[in-house]
């Protein structure tokens, strides 16, 4: 028997709908929901253990997976099974996690798992835009202690009109691609890329998205009420001790305030804070330490945070002595690594990124193979964050989700500035060597300079800055270029990248409820001032891209050939192209243009001589003489009935020069007129209708000898002289 199903429908306002359904699938999960738009269906399940884990944080796992069966496809690779998540799936997990995590109680430490699966795909629906809605709807159907319903939507803009959850085709026409996460009351997360828009335009896009999110939150509440809203589970709350908290606050606050106001360096400041913490801890007896140790550490951290925030709000000062708008000292360098195609160092305070650029053919494009999207990237960026960058020693177990997310943000910041006609596949790698505040923005700056150093003709240079916000009632302070220590102290952390003319990418996590749009715009404008300050350091180091790639970097030439010549260039079993690559020291890649069916030939080589040789070979293969034109040829073979000649401008292209076309006079022997290796001109007459072969003539461009008599055409000759007519008569008598 099919159980009772509960549904809610969300109208997107343009004929599209999103349906929330529960009661049919995965009923043993603590909450489950199917979200559908068009033929796209997501199943989200949530489970949370009923006992608290022995940790001081929320062990939340958000997992998003796309099933290949959803698109009627098989997974790639030897094992036909979904394996580790792709970068696209990891990025969706991060989008959902960042909105959900702050809404659980701080003292809720039960292991919690949110699983979102793409079960059916629709080419006109991007599933990642509905993942946040699915997660929140499932939680609303559970008994988890969770503050309120949230949702996430993607917003695009085409011809000035905002579109909620655009299709991929619409997104290609849009100048904005942002995902916004929010509750009905407050915006909580923003991430996306833009085509150099203003701060006000970005704010308008957020407002449009928030209005749609309010509708989706209301639908979740209605679904939960219809299904039967569960009582929130009871859990063992964290132990609190108000007297102990006040005692520790009094012991810590003033000392922390003094250290923070001193404006010291990271290690010196960290040691001072550690000494305060140790002094407070040692002031308690061993019995108290054993019993209250966790609370002591917790209240010390809380007092630390309060003191540092108050210092900034009251005096406009920060941990390293800067004022709120100050940027740390910056130094830059390009062409640091001698053998790479492009390199740069960007150092801002105690954050340093070393970026490299590698140039390649379309064969090196990054292949994307997901059920919801197949394609390739000819510009991509990888970000590495080794433990030594923060003075730590810990095991490295593959690329972390954080590295994927930070690399993607930097890639989105830069990719719009790569020209459409860039012939190369461009790979940027950022190695973070020091970190104390926004290594992702250092990656954007280093990436810009490295690309310019490599000769990538960027439209405009891009810089990035990490900002913070501290607010208390009516008072607030926006912090430019935040430190690592300031990252978790504020009420909003946001990273903004852009050119001198507008924003290209952003990432925001907003922790304060009801943040006014006025404060948001002011913060974005302060970020713009910081971006421009940093941008000047970049352009002072390298003002414009190099005119050409470096001497030891590969040069790329792209040409097109008709489809009919692709086979001739490749040769049987690839023989021609392989030998050509070996002889010229180049890499040759041939792709077919699906629209024109032409062959796009990419030639990559460090030596111009080799590239020229490949181009000459292509010209030779694709050479087509024009009727009536004169060409220089060379004799390459002597025959009884003529000479085989090769076009000088197209080596390898041969044609027969018949003995009758050598000279006006009757020629008995070919060698009487030409010899091997002779070079002379011939006229091209096209394909002879009688022989169906190409015809060229030497005599046609020579003057006729004096007294020369043209021989009559074959049909007008006296055939009796050959005795053929007499033979015909004899046959008739028989």
């Amino acid at each position: 028997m099919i159980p009772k199903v509960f549904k809610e429908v969300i109208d997107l306002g343009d004929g599209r709908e999103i349906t929330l359904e529960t009661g049919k699938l995965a009923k043993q999960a603590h909450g489950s929901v199917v979200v559908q738009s068009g033929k796209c269906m997501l199943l989200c399940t949530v489970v949370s253990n009923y006992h608290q884990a022995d940790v001081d944080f929320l062990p939340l796992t958000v997992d998003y997976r796309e099933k290949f069966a959803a698109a009627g496809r098989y997974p790639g690779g030897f094992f036909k099974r979904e394996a580790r998540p792709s970068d696209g799936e990891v990025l969706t997990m991060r989008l959902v996690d960042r909105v959900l995590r702050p809404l659980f109680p701080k003292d809720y430490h039960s292991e919690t798992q949110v699983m979102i699966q793409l079960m059916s795909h629709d080419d006109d629906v991007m599933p990642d835009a509905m993942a946040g809605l699915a997660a929140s709807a499932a939680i609303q159907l559970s008994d988890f202690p969770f503050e309120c319903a949230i949702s996430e939507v993607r917003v695009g803009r085409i011809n000035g009109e905002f579109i909620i959850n655009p299709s991929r085709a619409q997104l290609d026409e849009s100048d904005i691609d942002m995902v916004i996460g929010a509750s009905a009351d407050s915006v909580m997360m923003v991430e996306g890329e833009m085509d150099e828009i203003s701060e006000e335009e970005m704010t308008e896009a957020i407002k449009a998205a928030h209005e749609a999110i309010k509708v989706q939150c209301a639908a979740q509440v209605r679904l939960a009420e219809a299904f039967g809203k569960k009582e929130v589970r009871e859990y063992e709350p964290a132990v609190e001790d108000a007297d102990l908290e006040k005692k520790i606050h009094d012991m810590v606050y003033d000392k922390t305030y003094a250290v923070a106001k001193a404006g010291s360096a990271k290690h010196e400041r960290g040691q001072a804070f550690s000494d305060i913490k140790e002094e407070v801890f040692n002031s308690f007896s061993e019995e108290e330490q054993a019993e209250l140790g966790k609370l002591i550490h917790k209240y010390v951290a809380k007092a630390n945070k309060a003191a540092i925030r108050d210092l900034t709000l009251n005096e406009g000062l920060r941990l390293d002595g800067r004022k709120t708008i100050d940027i740390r000292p910056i130094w830059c360098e390009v062409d640091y690594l001698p053998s790479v195609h492009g390199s740069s160092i960007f150092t801002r305070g105690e954050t340093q990124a070393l970026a490299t650029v590698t140039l390649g053919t379309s064969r090196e494009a990054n292949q994307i193979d997901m059920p919801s999207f197949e394609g390739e990237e000819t510009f991509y960026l990888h970000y590495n964050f080794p433990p030594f960058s923060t003075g730590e020693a810990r095991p490295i177990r593959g690329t972390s989700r954080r590295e994927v997310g930070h690399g993607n943000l930097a890639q989105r910041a830069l990719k719009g500035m790569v020209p459409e006609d860039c012939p190369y596949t461009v790979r940027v790698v950022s190695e973070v060597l020091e970190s104390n505040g926004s290594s992702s923005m250092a990656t954007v700056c280093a990436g810009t300079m490295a690309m310019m150093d490599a000769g990538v003709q960027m439209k405009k240079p891009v810089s990035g800055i990490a900002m913070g916000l501290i607010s208390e009632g009516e008072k607030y302070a926006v912090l430019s270029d935040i430190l690592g220590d300031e990252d978790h102290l504020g009420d909003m952390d946001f990273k903004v990248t852009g050119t001198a003319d507008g924003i290209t990418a952003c990432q925001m996590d907003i922790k304060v409820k009801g943040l006014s749009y006025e404060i948001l715009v002011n913060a974005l404008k302060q970020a713009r001032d910081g971006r421009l300050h940093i941008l000047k350091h970049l352009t002072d180091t390298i003002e414009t891209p190099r005119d050409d790639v470096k001497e030891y970097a590969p040069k790329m030439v792209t040409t097109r050939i008709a489809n009919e010549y692709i086979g001739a260039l490749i040769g049987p079993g690839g023989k021609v192209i392989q030998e050509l690559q070996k002889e010229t020291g180049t890499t040759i890649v041939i792709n077919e243009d699906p629209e024109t069916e032409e062959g796009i030939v990419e030639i990559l080589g460090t030596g111009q001589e080799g590239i020229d040789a490949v181009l000459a070979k292509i010209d030779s293969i694709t050479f087509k003489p024009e009727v009536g034109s004169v060409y220089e040829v060379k004799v390459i073979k002597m025959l009884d009935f003529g000479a085989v000649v090769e076009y000088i401008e197209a080596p390898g292209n041969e044609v027969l020069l018949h003995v009758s076309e050598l000279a006006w006079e009757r020629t008995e022997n070919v060698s009487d007129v030409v010899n091997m290796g002779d070079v002379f001109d011939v006229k091209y007459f096209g394909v002879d209708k009688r022989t169906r072969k190409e015809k060229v003539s030497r005599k046609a461009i020579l003057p006729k000898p004096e007294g020369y008599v043209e021989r009559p055409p074959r049909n007008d000759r006296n055939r009796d002289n050959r005795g053929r007519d007499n033979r015909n008569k004899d046959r008739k008598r028989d």
Side-chain angles (χ1 to χ4, degrees), residues 623 625-636 642-650 653-663 673-675 678-686 694-702:
F623 175 74
E626 296 181 5
V627 175
S629 296
V630 175
Y631 296 95
E632 191 175 35
V633 297
K634 179 181 179 180
V635 178
I636 61 171
V644 177
V645 296
E646 180 183 64
Y647 293 99
I648 296 295
E649 66 180 88
N653 279 267
E654 305 168 359
V655 66
L656 174 66
L657 174 59
H658 194 266
V659 65
S660 63
E661 298 296 332
L662 284 171
V673 181
V674 297
N675 291 297
D678 284 356
V679 176
F680 49 83
D681 290 340
V682 296
K683 188 174 183 178
Y684 181 74
F685 286 94
E694 290 184 299
K695 178 182 177 181
V696 294
S697 175
R698 176 177 178 270
K699 74 179 185 181
I701 58 177
L702 297 174

Side-chain angles (χ1 to χ4, degrees), residues 554-609:
K555 283 77 177 171
M556 169 80 84
V557 174
T558 302
T559 188
R560 287 175 175 259
I561 61 175
N563 182 276
E564 60 192 275
Y565 296 117
I566 295 177
L569 179 55
I570 294 173
K575 181 179 179 181
V576 173
I577 195 169
Q578 289 172 10
E579 289 183 353
L580 188 58
Q581 290 181 115
K582 186 177 180 180
E583 292 170 2
T584 61
T586 60
T587 299
I588 306 171
V589 178
I590 305 174
N591 297 307
E592 188 172 328
D593 188 324
E595 296 182 2
T596 64
E597 295 188 349
E598 290 180 303
I600 303 172
V601 184
E602 300 173 357
I603 310 162
L604 191 79
T606 55
Q608 190 62 44
E609 185 178 342

Side-chain angles (χ1 to χ4, degrees), residues 17-33:
E17 294 180 340
I18 299 176
T19 301
L20 305 179
E21 176 187 288
T22 191
K24 184 181 290 186
L25 303 182
K27 295 188 295 299
Q28 291 193 48
H30 296 164
S32 69
V33 67

Side-chain angles (χ1 to χ4, degrees), residues 358-379:
T358 307
L359 305 176
T361 67
S362 58
R363 190 179 293 165
E364 281 71 53
N366 185 35
Q367 301 298 320
I368 302 173
D369 184 21
M370 297 175 62
S372 61
F373 179 66
E374 291 180 89
E376 61 181 28
E377 296 172 327
T378 54
F379 171 75

Side-chain angles (χ1 to χ4, degrees), residues 57-84:
F57 61 91
L58 172 64
L60 170 66
T61 301
V62 175
D63 195 77
Y64 171 80
R65 298 298 179 98
E66 296 187 355
K67 305 298 183 180
F68 276 85
R73 294 178 52 214
Y74 284 89
F78 184 79
F79 296 104
K80 299 302 179 185
R81 172 184 193 112
E82 287 84 359
R84 65 174 299 276

